[in-house]
Each structure stands twice: as C-alpha cells, then as structure tokens.
Amino acid sequence: MKHIVDLAKNRGFVFQGSEIYGGLANTWDYGPLGSLLKENLKNLWIREFVQRRPDMVLLDAAILMNPQVWVASGHVGGFSDPLIDDKNTKERFRADKLIEGKITEIVTEALKQNEEWVHLEKNMDEAGNLRKALQLHPAIYNQIITEKVLKKYWVPNQIPESWTPEQQLNFMKCEDVRNPNNPDVKADWTEIRKFNLMFETKQGVTDDSTAKVYLRPETAQGIFVDFPHIVRTCRRRVPFGVAQVGKAFRNEITPGNFIFRTREFEQMEIEFFCEPGTQKEWHEKWKVACKKFLMETVGIKESNLRFREHEKDELSHYSDWTFDIEYDFPSIGFSELQGIASRTDFDLKAHMSESKQDMSYFDPVKNTKFIPYVIEPSIGLTRLFLATLCDAYDTIKDEEGAERIVLRLKPEVAPVKIAVLPLVKKLNEKAEEVFTLLSNNFMTWYDETGSIGKRYARFDEIGTPWCVTIDFDNTMEKNMVTIRHRDTMEQEIVAIDDLVDYFKKYL
Ligand code: GAP
C-alpha cells in the first residue's frame, strides 16, 4: 500500500487535502491524473449500466435533502457506530474495530498451539500474511473462534459490530483490550456510546434547530424519493433501475488506509425495482453483471475478487440478504469493494408512511398495484479507484537492472491514452501538429524533455498505453510515426493519416 500511496502522491493521482495548512485529516484531492482516472471509471460505469441497458435511467439528486428523508430511511435512528474513549489519552475509537483486532490476536495465539500450525505457516509464506492463511483454513479458524470468543463471551457471532454495547465492553475489559497507540498502559475506557455517522449542517440564515440538514450518507435515498417522478416521466415499467453517481459523507470514527475509508467519498449506486417474488432472480443477475464489469471493463484480476455473503446479524436494517464483492487490497486483505443488497420494499414503504405520498407502482398490463422490491448494487467510486490502482501496479527491471513501475491500466481506464514525444526538440512543430490531431479525439499529453527512454518510463508509470514518437526518418520523410506499446514494448510504424482510426479501434 505504501508503494501505491507514494505513486499516487508523486505522480499527481491523489494529494493530501489542504496540505499547505498541514492538511485536514483524511481529506484527499484528486490531482490531474487522478481526476481523469476517476472520471473514466465513472463514465465506463454509466456506459455499462445506463447507456447499454434499456432497463436503466440516470439521476443526479441533491446532496442536501429534507431531513425527514433520513428519519424515514432509518439513518437518524440507526446509522451509528459504537464509540469509546480512552480517558488516559482522550483518544476516540470504534469499539468493534478494537475488538476485531483483539480477536485476530487471539486467533494468532491459538493457531500457534494448533497442530496444523506448520501447515498453516507454509501457507502463510505463500499467501504473504496471516489473514490470507486464515481464509485458506476456515475450519480451523471457526473452531478457534467458537471456543475462544463465542462460547467464552456468550456472543452470537464473530461480528463485534452486531454485539450489544454491554457485550462489547465486557469483552474489552475481560480481554484487557489496549489503546493501540498506548499499548504499554492499561486503557481507561469510557462506556460505549452510539455515534451517528451523519454530518449535520444548517440551511439558511437562521440558527435554530429546525434548519438542521444532513449531508447525505448514501446517494440511494435520492432515487427512492424521486421514484414516482421517474416512473411518471420516463415511461419505464418495472423491472427497471435508476443509477446515480455522487458524493456521500460519513463522519467515520476511524477512517484510514489512504482513500479506502474516507469521510467524503463518491458512490455509484443502482436501485433496481422489481416485482416482489422476483428479487432473488434479479439479485443473481446483478451479481454476475457487477463482477463482469469489474473484470472485463475495469480489468481487475479475478483472483483478487471474491463474493462474500453477509451473515444474518451483519445485515443492514433494510436488507434481508446481501452479498459483497471483496477485493484483496494490499495491507488490508479481502475487504468490501461493492455491496449488492436485496433491499426489499423497506425504503419505498418507509417514505410512503412518512410522507403520506403514494410510492406504489401501477402495472398497466397486469392492472395491479404494488410496492416494488429493490436490488441495490452499490460501489464506492473512490474505493474502486484504489482497487484499480492496486491491481494495475506492476514493476519491471530496466536494462541496468533497476526496478521501475508500470501501471497496467486498460486503455479505456488510463487517464492519459497517448503521449506524443518528439525524438528531439527540433521536431516540435510536427509533434505539435500530431498532438492537435490526437488531442481532438483522445486525452493526449505532450512531452519533449529528457531522453526518449526516460520519457517512455514516465508514461509507463502513469499507465499510458501508447507513446507516439516523432522522428526524422519516418515522420519528416514519410509522414509516419512510431507507436510504442506500454505492455509489450513493441514498436509499430503507422501513417499519421491513419492514426485516429488506429486508436479508435481500442477506445
Ligand atoms: N446505499 C447502500 C450503501 O451505502 P454501503 O455498504 O454503506 O451501502 C456502499 O456503501 C459502498 O460505498 C461500499 O461498498 C464502499 O465501496 C463505499 N463506501 C462506503 N463507505 C465508504 C467510506 N467511508 N469511504 C469510501 N467508500 C465507502
């Protein structure tokens, strides 16, 4: 992860937010390359799930919504994390995350006593870390968890987030869970409180509490609230879906791991409305479609992706059934990249009851009225950005044996598609002509400084799939250029007149 963060910062993918003032914790700016990469991911997602499907439309709802929306959706009452303070240091933590850390420690200790440890250790070397070794041996893991956690503490599962505050505090006290930043001293923990993750702000000039509004914690509610308008105006019949891309905000207690978990992030969400009783069938279809998008369109390797079904106690308040697509993030391990939830009719029903508006759907063919069920494929755009960078990151040895980075992004995903490189500065006039031709069609950068080898390396590092070289023999004499391919390093001579068509085959 450190290599990814360094590359992102040094090459203009992601900068720390307001850095000249010392930064603001956990805020990130997407730089010249990062903003292009993010835009490409977003546009590919819209192309795949809106443009190419007759059963999908797009929406762009407001970030600020009537606060009643969040009462109905359950976010005012239930969108919270268990918060605990260490009175010694006045630091604040998520209790469930501290417990998860302790459980990993307990399992590690227990594993060392297990006779199969030798075998596990072998796998640990292969897999690189303990987490992976555990994932390879779920039976041993489950046995240890049952003995050392579930039976010992009378808790229903291994997901501390779903335990009661009393169960969480009891575990922390009995296991002497320490403050990770002050592990040598016994922590002086407070009680556990529920901390609502929604950011509050005030709308208008008055300072009274009735002006309180929230920054949306998910984009989904805009879709639910606008459902009747969409049905009326777009003449879509259920089953159909609505897609939306936009910012969401959560006052996460423990953000971190670079842009993996941030307080301000972007989501790409789909609410797919279907007839009650058909939700399982649609859920399966969306699982396939989402994985296909990640692999075939974004280019993420299948071996780094897996599905994980949520356990009953882990489900969000609106869901009867959820699958995550997890990505094997470096330093983090397999973690949620995308959720695909069966959201039932919870939201439309809740808004119908709160707003007293009719949110049901009338099927003109069957002459029936019902509240649709919803399948929700929801992915973090900024989290997908991180997965894409991690997955494309590769290193090779140059002729001198030094290691250098090659970002193997798919051409459609790459921020800069083509680099135009005059072999020497003297060729700049012709090179600028080629640049104008290409940049009218594709995101193209121009670079005339440094040796040609250094320039190739610079563009490999930011994932540019092609470099177009302008030279004396081919270009000035024959009106042709050399195209150098990033992944194979092969070179091809192509007529300038054919260049745009050449690249259009790929983009
Ligand atoms: N509407 C459903 C919903 O919001 P979620 O699992 O809380 O579900 C969906 O979020 C996706 O949004 C996640 O799979 C993740 O990719 C992304 N996401 C959630 N919280 C995030 C955060 N704090 N930072 C970055 N991405 C986040």
Side-chain angles (χ1 to χ4, degrees), residues 218 220 250 252 259-262 265 267 269 318 336-339 343 376 378-380 382-383:
E218 60 169 9
R250 294 180 190 177
E252 302 277 5
I259 53 169
F260 178 82
R261 180 173 290 105
T262 47
F265 56 100
Q267 286 187 316
E269 297 202 290
Y318 47 71
E336 178 181 347
L337 171 61
Q338 162 151 42
R343 226 173 146 134
E376 180 192 62
S378 169
I379 187 163
T382 41
R383 198 171 283 183

Side-chain angles (χ1 to χ4, degrees), residues 291-308:
K291 193 168 172 206
K292 182 167 169 276
F293 170 75
L294 294 172
M295 283 165 47
E296 292 178 16
T297 309
V298 182
I300 292 181
K301 295 175 204 76
E302 186 168 19
S303 55
N304 286 332
L305 293 171
R306 70 170 193 196
F307 282 113
R308 187 181 72 81

Side-chain angles (χ1 to χ4, degrees), residues 119-167:
H119 178 56
L120 277 168
E121 257 187 334
K122 189 168 148 271
N123 273 317
M124 251 176 78
D125 292 342
E126 282 162 18
N129 60 36
L130 173 71
R131 207 184 154 114
K132 283 189 186 159
L134 296 177
Q135 282 158 356
L136 288 169
H137 293 272
I140 299 177
Y141 177 79
N142 286 338
Q143 183 200 331
I144 297 170
I145 287 282
T146 307
E147 219 173 274
K148 307 265 173 192
V149 180
L150 309 192
K151 283 190 178 161
K152 193 167 171 194
Y153 293 103
W154 292 86
V155 287
N157 54 46
Q158 49 171 299
I159 305 153
E161 192 184 346
S162 71
W163 301 355
T164 63
E166 293 73 29
Q167 285 169 331

Side-chain angles (χ1 to χ4, degrees), residues 26 75 79 217-221 224 248-252 254-256 259-271 310 316 318 322 324-325 329 336-341 343 376-384:
N26 194 245
H75 285 81
F79 192 54
E218 60 169 9
T219 62
Q221 294 306 323
F224 292 123
F249 302 83
R250 294 180 190 177
N251 204 356
E252 302 277 5
T254 47
I259 53 169
F260 178 82
R261 180 173 290 105
T262 47
R263 296 198 170 106
E264 173 182 345
F265 56 100
E266 277 175 80
Q267 286 187 316
M268 303 195 286
E269 297 202 290
I270 291 168
E271 306 305 322
H310 279 212
S316 304
Y318 47 71
T322 294
D324 283 346
I325 299 182
F329 289 94
E336 178 181 347
L337 171 61
Q338 162 151 42
I340 307 171
R343 226 173 146 134
E376 180 192 62
S378 169
I379 187 163
L381 171 56
T382 41
R383 198 171 283 183
L384 176 60

Side-chain angles (χ1 to χ4, degrees), residues 109-387:
E109 273 312 302
L111 275 175
K112 288 183 185 158
Q113 321 297 326
N114 191 296
E115 57 197 29
E116 288 204 44
W117 175 244
V118 181
H119 178 56
L120 277 168
E121 257 187 334
K122 189 168 148 271
N123 273 317
M124 251 176 78
D125 292 342
E126 282 162 18
N129 60 36
L130 173 71
R131 207 184 154 114
K132 283 189 186 159
L134 296 177
Q135 282 158 356
L136 288 169
H137 293 272
I140 299 177
Y141 177 79
N142 286 338
Q143 183 200 331
I144 297 170
I145 287 282
T146 307
E147 219 173 274
K148 307 265 173 192
V149 180
L150 309 192
K151 283 190 178 161
K152 193 167 171 194
Y153 293 103
W154 292 86
V155 287
N157 54 46
Q158 49 171 299
I159 305 153
E161 192 184 346
S162 71
W163 301 355
T164 63
E166 293 73 29
Q167 285 169 331
Q168 290 169 341
L169 197 61
N170 178 44
F171 177 95
M172 287 183 65
K173 291 202 163 147
C174 293
E175 288 292 340
D176 186 21
V177 172
R178 301 272 167 120
N179 174 342
N181 304 327
N182 195 21
D184 300 334
V185 179
K186 202 173 165 62
D188 187 6
W189 298 119
T190 58
E191 292 295 305
I192 294 173
R193 288 103 60 214
K194 289 272 177 198
F195 174 74
N196 195 296
L197 298 183
M198 282 197 294
F199 273 100
E200 287 176 15
T201 185
K202 294 235 164 72
Q203 169 151 299
V205 287
T206 50
D207 203 21
D208 65 90
S209 63
T210 54
K212 181 163 86 179
V213 288
Y214 302 99
L215 301 185
R216 67 180 176 198
E218 60 169 9
T219 62
Q221 294 306 323
I223 299 178
F224 292 123
V225 167
D226 282 346
F227 174 71
H229 297 312
I230 296 168
V231 171
R232 184 171 50 81
T233 55
C234 294
R235 300 166 48 81
R236 287 296 191 283
R237 288 186 45 210
V238 169
F240 81 95
V242 183
Q244 177 163 221
V245 184
K247 292 246 174 179
F249 302 83
R250 294 180 190 177
N251 204 356
E252 302 277 5
I253 301 166
T254 47
N257 277 319
F258 190 34
I259 53 169
F260 178 82
R261 180 173 290 105
T262 47
R263 296 198 170 106
E264 173 182 345
F265 56 100
E266 277 175 80
Q267 286 187 316
M268 303 195 286
E269 297 202 290
I270 291 168
E271 306 305 322
F272 193 83
F273 301 96
C274 60
E275 221 178 296
T278 63
Q279 66 271 23
K280 250 200 152 80
E281 188 190 310
W282 280 109
H283 197 262
E284 282 307 316
K285 286 186 186 160
W286 276 107
K287 274 170 63 187
V288 174
C290 291
K291 193 168 172 206
K292 182 167 169 276
F293 170 75
L294 294 172
M295 283 165 47
E296 292 178 16
T297 309
V298 182
I300 292 181
K301 295 175 204 76
E302 186 168 19
S303 55
N304 286 332
L305 293 171
R306 70 170 193 196
F307 282 113
R308 187 181 72 81
E309 187 174 357
H310 279 212
E311 295 191 25
K312 280 264 166 302
D313 314 278
E314 192 190 351
L315 291 168
S316 304
H317 59 279
Y318 47 71
S319 177
D320 62 347
W321 187 29
T322 294
F323 269 86
D324 283 346
I325 299 182
E326 297 187 328
Y327 179 78
D328 194 3
F329 289 94
S331 316
I332 306 174
F334 274 104
S335 306
E336 178 181 347
L337 171 61
Q338 162 151 42
I340 307 171
S342 166
R343 226 173 146 134
T344 67
D345 53 0
F346 174 90
D347 299 87
L348 288 179
K349 259 192 180 154
H351 288 304
M352 188 150 154
S353 144
E354 189 76 22
S355 69
K356 313 283 180 261
Q357 302 289 316
D358 187 5
M359 305 294 280
S360 61
Y361 169 78
F362 176 70
D363 186 328
V365 175
K366 294 186 181 157
N367 207 17
T368 51
K369 209 172 174 193
F370 59 88
I371 301 202
Y373 266 48
V374 172
I375 300 299
E376 180 192 62
S378 169
I379 187 163
L381 171 56
T382 41
R383 198 171 283 183
L384 176 60
F385 179 105
L386 179 61

